[in-house]
Amino acid sequence: QVQLVESGGGLVQAGGSLRLSCAASGGTLSRINMVGWFRQAPGKEREFVGRITWNGGSTYYTDSAKGRFTISRDNAKNTVYLQLNSLKPEDTGVYYCAAKPSLTPLYNYWGQGTQVTVSS
């Protein structure tokens, strides 16, 4: 099992920044291939934001995240980060990290989420 714990959310004004952290632990961490970030706005479905490969650090972002958000990882700390810049009110929501084991198509492990609120 892999446990994920997000932190770093909060209330910020439009144009501001936050850095979210996703700390991973568990005996099967070596099987993780990818860590993704997702968000869920009030009244909306959860959506994919971007992801990073655990070993090579290759990243991918959706168009809404590209240029404003940056995903990085610190393998020594088993932590993945989501840097949120130039935040907009529509970025408000609960942000989740999730881990996908190798050779599986799904993100099997999820954190509890951290709330990001952007005021106008």
Side-chain angles (χ1 to χ4, degrees):
Q1 288 288 337
V2 173
Q3 291 81 43
L4 302 174
V5 179
E6 301 98 332
S7 61
L11 173 64
V12 64
Q13 289 187 332
S17 299
L18 283 173
R19 188 176 81 156
L20 308 183
S21 299
C22 172
S25 62
T28 56
L29 209 56
S30 59
R31 298 183 186 177
I32 296 302
N33 170 255
M34 203 169 292
V35 174
W37 284 96
F38 297 76
R39 68 183 181 186
Q40 187 166 20
K44 295 188 177 180
E45 292 189 354
R46 186 166 56 195
E47 65 174 350
F48 175 68
V49 174
R51 59 88 174 141
I52 188 167
T53 58
W54 188 252
N55 291 321
S58 172
T59 54
Y60 172 84
Y61 303 94
T62 59
D63 287 343
S64 63
K66 206 174 295 182
R68 297 191 301 127
F69 298 172
T70 303
I71 300 174
S72 61
R73 89 261 190 256
D74 184 333
N75 289 68
K77 295 182 178 180
N78 291 333
T79 300
V80 172
Y81 303 98
L82 176 62
Q83 178 69 41
L84 307 172
N85 294 330
S86 302
L87 283 163
K88 306 174 183 179
E90 51 265 41
D91 294 318
T92 293
V94 179
Y95 283 69
Y96 300 89
C97 65
K100 188 179 83 66
S102 301
L103 305 178
T104 64
L106 300 176
Y107 286 90
N108 287 354
Y109 305 105
W110 291 81
Q112 83 289 349
T114 186
Q115 176 71 45
V116 171
T117 303
V118 185
S119 63
S120 58

